[in-house]
Amino acid sequence: MIYLPIAEMPVNVLLVLLVSGAVGFVSGLVGVGGGFIMTPALIFMGVPAPVAVATGASQIAATSFSGIMTQTRRRSVDWRMGLLLSIGGMIGSIGGVALFEQLLRLGQLDLIVSLLYLLLLSSVGFLMMRESYRFWRGRPPKSVSILRRPLKTVAHTLPFRLRFPRSGLYISILPPLGLGFSIGALAAVMGIGGGFILIPAMIYLLRMPTNVVVGTSQLQVLVIASLIVVLQSAATKTVDLVLALLLMVGGVVGAQIGARIGAGMKAEYIRGVLGALLMVASIKFLFDLVIVPEQPYVLGGGTW
Amino acid sequence: MRRLLLILALALLTGAPVSAQQPEAAQRPAPDVAADLPAGVAEERITVSSTYGGSSITVFGVNPDRRGRGDIVVVLRGPNEAATVMRKRRVFGLWVNGDPVHFSEAPSFFAVLSNRALRDIASPQSIWLYQLDPAASAQLASAVPAGGDPSAYRAALVHLRREQGLYQWYSRPPREGVRDGLTTYPGGLFRAVIRLPANAPIAQYRADTYLFRDGRLISRQQIPITVSRIGIERTIHDLATRVSWLYGIVTVLLALAAGWVAALVFRRP
């Protein structure tokens, strides 16, 4: 047992390491950041929601930095695109932290976060299961369907166009800025990295080649997560350094092991299982919102 | 038992805990009652280190009545803080927190110990006057929304805090093998043990000891107890509150270092 100085509660060190390791393992296996599993897991363990959201961001920063180091060596980071996404993301996360503070004060943080998680987990879970099912049925993988779609999107027609040599694109800077902004705001409120929304958006909306998508999204996630940690420390004082260290160690080690094992497995099957898990989790969120509460009164101030 | 008497005797000799203090939060006019009840605490400082998992506070003393008449009541209070209670409402099929009611102050921790039911010891007026019930110290700061009942909000606050272990009631002597509660010994000696859970606030507490007879307060005593962080817990908390920007930057740098080390260690050939 160790006492967390900011969360003001004792936690079991082994349990936290195990949970963060498991989340890291899953994220390495599937190739997602894992913030959207980590934050609810921490809250489930009794960590106050504001501390879980703010502290989870530091673990996301650690994981994405280790990812970028690997991706840079493979020259698969589009720095120019990453910078644009980050600028949008920074503005978004500043707004997100302000919104977080406001919701906390109004006592509505739990509702908004529950609703967002419900939407997010059910839609991502559904998409993962569908993809896995199609693969199992032997349907063509989605890369073929990308080619069949028109290559020009709204990103190609808007003004302020810029060349992105690494991605081989000549598109407007507005969609990347807007995309970065939304992900930044979501990340600040929900305690997620946002990679699993960002990656599909980069492929389908910006038409970026898949080989640079992962590294570039990690760059944006790193910048946003780092900024959120600093902003939350200053604004809400809810970053717990001791918890952060435990999460970093568990998450980073788990992710590396997961990535190794994942390399030798069929990704589609893993995604199907994870998708099912996310669906179950989202049903839990739905139940909590819909069934008649046992206790009609609640204490205000960040209790989930 | 003998050890307890020894501690008590020592405490009485040094006289340290038996400092006659006037109640600091005398919001309501309380009649003057001699603050001369001989009582002390076993630990005036409770330190929170990285291994902290809750603690317990022992208050001991002697009933000054030679014939042992009257009832002892011990109350441990945390500082008063603002609190908000909301009621769940149904909006489009979803349960939403609404109708907030603010309390300008409510005890952050409250434990009351007695040998029998409090209402048999003190009159309802005394319970309210000396704030022997947490609801008595909860000050409403806002109007209750239409259709709401102020006493229901007050009761909800007490109920929710009780579930968190922050409000405790002990109204009978502890059972065999249990230390928590108020135990009286022959000769007027009493001992009150209060469990301080790990989620109790880190703050300045005060232990109040009262002697009631025939529903009236005869004598009282107040002893401050400090719960504070030490060591690394204190350093981290001070950094986080005083130089919060720097603290955030240090956390990020640590995260980057952890990521860097991981990427090096697990480098693929």
Side-chain angles (χ1 to χ4, degrees):
Chain A
M1 298 295 276
I2 190 164
Y3 188 82
L4 302 177
I6 305 296
E8 296 196 348
M9 60 175 286
V11 290
N12 191 325
V13 175
L14 274 178
L15 184 67
V16 174
L17 283 178
L18 214 67
V19 168
S20 59
V23 173
F25 179 79
V26 171
S27 70
L29 205 60
V30 187
V32 292
F36 66 102
I37 318 173
M38 183 73 92
T39 308
L42 285 177
I43 292 163
F44 186 70
M45 285 170 66
V47 176
V51 177
V53 168
T55 307
S58 65
Q59 185 261 330
I60 293 167
T63 318
S64 53
F65 188 65
S66 97
I68 287 180
M69 297 215 19
T70 321
Q71 299 292 341
T72 317
R73 248 179 266 127
R74 293 189 201 148
R75 297 179 55 78
S76 54
V77 178
D78 184 338
W79 295 98
R80 185 175 276 189
M81 181 66 84
L83 190 70
L84 262 185
L85 286 168
S86 301
I87 292 170
M90 283 162 89
I91 301 167
S93 52
I94 291 169
V97 170
L99 182 69
F100 185 89
E101 222 183 336
Q102 197 61 36
L103 288 173
L104 194 63
R105 198 163 25 223
L106 288 174
Q108 299 299 354
L109 183 70
D110 50 349
L111 170 74
I112 302 297
V113 174
S114 298
L115 273 178
L116 286 174
Y117 266 107
L118 173 63
L119 286 176
L120 202 73
L121 295 185
S122 56
S123 50
V124 171
F126 174 74
L127 288 176
M128 279 180 166
M129 282 173 76
R130 195 180 64 172
E131 193 187 330
S132 176
Y133 176 71
R134 284 192 176 165
F135 180 83
W136 179 66
R137 286 279 305 271
R139 296 265 179 87
K142 67 177 178 202
S143 53
V144 179
S145 61
I146 291 174
L147 291 177
R148 247 191 265 139
R149 287 183 190 192
L151 272 169
K152 283 204 171 186
T153 65
V154 68
H156 296 80
T157 51
L158 284 168
F160 308 114
R161 267 173 264 181
L162 195 66
R163 250 174 234 295
F164 297 93
R166 185 64 58 83
S167 303
L169 289 173
Y170 178 60
I171 57 168
S172 162
I173 63 168
L174 294 178
L177 281 178
L179 183 61
F181 180 87
S182 341
I183 303 287
L186 268 184
V189 174
M190 298 179 69
I192 58 172
F196 66 102
I197 313 173
L198 189 56
I199 289 175
M202 286 161 92
I203 295 173
Y204 293 109
L205 190 69
L206 306 181
R207 294 266 175 258
M208 281 175 70
T210 38
N211 61 323
V212 296
V213 158
V214 173
T216 311
S217 76
Q218 275 172 343
L219 176 64
Q220 197 244 9
V221 168
L222 170 67
V223 171
I224 293 181
S226 308
L227 185 69
I228 288 172
V229 170
V230 177
L231 287 178
Q232 291 279 25
S233 300
T236 55
K237 301 190 177 23
T238 47
V239 177
D240 197 303
L241 189 55
V242 175
L243 182 61
L245 282 174
L246 291 176
L247 295 186
M248 286 174 205
V249 172
V252 155
V253 172
Q256 296 287 350
I257 298 170
R260 293 250 164 130
I261 294 177
M265 286 169 78
K266 284 257 186 293
E268 284 74 10
Y269 292 137
I270 304 168
R271 276 178 202 199
V273 174
L274 182 71
L277 278 176
L278 294 185
M279 292 293 275
V280 171
S282 71
I283 289 169
K284 162 97 174 67
F285 274 102
L286 183 67
F287 255 78
D288 288 350
L289 282 169
V290 172
I291 57 164
V292 178
E294 275 173 45
Q295 172 69 42
Y297 292 94
V298 283
L299 285 172
T303 47
W304 216 358
Chain B
M1 182 64 200
R2 179 169 289 177
R3 202 170 130 250
L4 189 73
L5 275 170
L6 193 70
I7 295 170
L8 180 64
L10 273 172
L12 288 176
L13 273 176
T14 52
V18 199
S19 51
Q21 273 193 336
Q22 285 302 111
E24 45 197 37
Q27 304 133 338
R28 278 162 239 211
D32 277 334
V33 172
D36 58 358
L37 186 70
V41 291
E43 50 286 291
E44 284 165 56
R45 277 197 98 74
I46 289 172
T47 53
V48 174
S49 63
S50 57
T51 52
Y52 183 73
S55 168
S56 68
I57 287 174
T58 308
V59 181
F60 48 83
V62 175
N63 182 346
D65 191 288
R66 292 222 182 105
R67 281 184 278 172
R69 291 170 302 174
D71 287 284
I72 294 289
V73 176
V74 177
V75 179
L76 181 69
R77 294 183 174 92
N80 281 346
E81 282 168 6
T84 306
V85 175
M86 304 178 97
R87 195 171 56 178
K88 289 196 183 252
R89 273 185 313 166
R90 196 154 210 174
V91 177
F92 299 118
L94 302 178
W95 287 95
V96 172
N97 294 345
D99 302 340
V101 163
H102 302 285
F103 292 88
S104 62
E105 43 189 41
S108 51
F109 181 86
F110 192 97
V112 55
L113 299 90
S114 53
N115 255 331
R116 54 199 179 108
L118 205 58
R119 61 177 179 279
D120 297 338
I121 296 174
S123 62
Q125 290 84 356
S126 299
I127 291 179
W128 204 256
L129 182 63
Y130 301 110
Q131 306 187 353
L132 303 182
D133 190 282
S137 336
Q139 304 274 340
L140 274 174
S142 64
V144 173
D149 175 9
S151 60
Y153 275 97
R154 220 181 272 269
L157 174 72
V158 172
H159 177 76
L160 291 168
R161 289 265 167 90
R162 184 178 196 159
E163 280 188 340
Q164 295 176 338
L166 295 175
Y167 289 177
Q168 304 172 12
W169 279 265
Y170 304 91
S171 60
R172 62 173 76 95
R175 279 171 285 119
E176 197 70 35
V178 179
R179 271 168 49 84
D180 301 351
L182 181 69
T183 319
T184 46
Y185 300 95
L189 187 69
F190 65 85
R191 182 188 74 174
V193 180
I194 302 132
R195 188 175 37 82
L196 198 63
N199 60 342
I202 296 173
Q204 180 83 36
Y205 286 71
R206 53 179 231 264
D208 288 290
T209 312
Y210 306 89
L211 173 65
F212 280 94
R213 196 163 65 209
D214 305 325
R216 279 179 48 239
L217 183 64
I218 303 295
S219 174
R220 63 190 292 177
Q221 184 60 259
Q222 185 174 90
I223 305 148
I225 297 163
T226 310
V227 180
S228 58
R229 299 175 173 84
I230 53 159
I232 186 80
E233 299 294 304
R234 190 191 187 111
T235 314
I236 291 176
H237 186 264
D238 285 358
L239 284 176
T241 45
R242 284 188 201 147
V243 281
S244 49
W245 286 97
L246 187 69
Y247 174 81
I249 292 164
V250 166
T251 310
V252 170
L253 289 179
L254 277 171
L256 298 189
W260 184 64
V261 168
L264 283 188
V265 170
F266 292 93
R267 191 170 193 163
R268 283 185 202 150

